């Protein structure tokens, strides 16, 4: 929480300024930095009065902060993760992926991970019919769920990967949880 900065944007930019040293140590060691930002999608529920456009404005700033934090790092060593949270609650108010996928793709990362197996979002693989994955980018849809103790059949997991892979190219997809 911001206890010292003039406002939330100043605070977030200070966080963004502090992170490159940490991230560079990771990439210099030859490892991949995964930026976990579940609030990219889950913050939507914290602002029930916002329109989709207002939320997108909020996320535009989040993209700016994240890109500031990874500036100068090798993109092929950056992975970005977003999700709708695995809280055991009705996810009836989750923002639809189609409303934020273009903003996710503005983040300077090579790989993007996101939920693709939970029952509220499993159908959203079809957005890749309309959204073109930029050249050199990889997606890692979460085709194995962790929100339940049920275990997906391997054929269902394969089907999920193939559905998306046919749209973005099999070479541009990795499976995730």
């Amino acid at each position: 929480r911001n206890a010292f900065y003039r406002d939330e944007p100043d605070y977030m930019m200070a966080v963004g300024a502090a992170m490159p040293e940490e991230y560079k140590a990771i990439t210099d060691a030859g490892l991949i930095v995964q930026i976990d930002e579940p609030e990219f999608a889950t913050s939507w529920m914290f602002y029930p009065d916002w329109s989709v456009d207002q939320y997108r404005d909020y996320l535009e700033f989040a993209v700016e902060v994240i890109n500031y934090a990874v500036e100068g790092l090798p993109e092929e060593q950056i992975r970005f993760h977003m999700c709708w949270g695995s809280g055991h609650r009705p996810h009836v108010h989750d923002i639809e992926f189609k409303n934020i996928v273009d903003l996710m793709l503005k983040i300077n990362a090579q790989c993007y991970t996101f939920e693709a197996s939970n029952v509220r979002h499993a159908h959203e693989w079809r957005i890749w019919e309309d959204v073109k994955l930029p050249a050199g980018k990889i997606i890692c849809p979460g085709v194995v769920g962790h929100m339940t103790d049920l275990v997906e059949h391997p054929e269902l997991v394969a089907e999920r990967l193939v559905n998306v892979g046919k749209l973005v190219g099999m070479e541009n997809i990795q499976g995730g949880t």
Side-chain angles (χ1 to χ4, degrees), residues 143-144 153-165 170:
V143 293
V144 175
H153 192 280
E155 289 184 23
L156 175 59
V157 174
E159 180 180 293
R160 289 172 174 165
L161 287 169
V162 169
N163 284 343
V164 178
M170 295 298 201

Side-chain angles (χ1 to χ4, degrees), residues 40 56 59 82 96-106 112 114 127-128 131 139:
F40 201 80
R56 287 178 54 82
L59 291 184
M82 56 134 284
E96 294 179 73
F97 197 24
K98 70 180 181 184
N99 291 317
I100 61 174
V101 67
D102 63 313
L103 296 173
M104 177 190 77
L105 294 173
K106 287 183 175 184
Y112 305 95
F114 49 89
I127 66 164
W128 300 106
V131 175
I139 59 171

Side-chain angles (χ1 to χ4, degrees), residues 20-160:
E21 183 178 346
E22 306 289 332
Y23 295 157
K24 186 169 180 354
I26 295 168
T27 59
D28 284 354
L31 301 169
I32 292 173
V33 172
Q34 179 164 310
I35 310 292
D36 281 350
E37 188 49 83
E39 288 190 19
F40 201 80
T42 60
S43 288
W44 173 251
M45 72 178 144
F46 302 129
Y47 302 102
D49 296 335
W50 280 6
S51 68
V52 170
D53 287 338
Q54 288 171 305
Y55 191 66
R56 287 178 54 82
D57 287 344
Y58 171 81
L59 291 184
E60 287 277 4
F61 180 65
V63 169
E64 181 182 338
V65 171
I66 292 165
N67 284 342
Y68 178 54
V70 300
E71 189 175 328
L73 297 175
E75 193 171 279
E76 66 275 7
Q77 288 178 263
I78 307 295
R79 178 181 296 159
F80 177 75
H81 169 76
M82 56 134 284
C83 64
W84 290 267
S86 57
H88 292 276
R89 59 179 167 74
H91 282 255
V92 295
H93 299 294
D94 288 0
I95 192 156
E96 294 179 73
F97 197 24
K98 70 180 181 184
N99 291 317
I100 61 174
V101 67
D102 63 313
L103 296 173
M104 177 190 77
L105 294 173
K106 287 183 175 184
I107 293 170
N108 296 331
Q110 181 185 42
C111 183
Y112 305 95
T113 76
F114 49 89
E115 286 180 278
S117 67
N118 90 35
V119 295
R120 192 68 187 183
H121 300 282
H123 69 286
E124 292 185 301
W125 62 270
R126 289 184 178 93
I127 66 164
W128 300 106
E129 294 170 342
D130 299 318
V131 175
K132 180 163 176 36
L133 186 64
K137 303 292 185 171
I138 298 168
I139 59 171
C140 182
V143 293
V144 175
H146 57 77
M147 74 300 280
T148 177
D149 59 356
L150 299 175
V151 178
E152 291 95 334
H153 192 280
E155 289 184 23
L156 175 59
V157 174
E159 180 180 293
R160 289 172 174 165

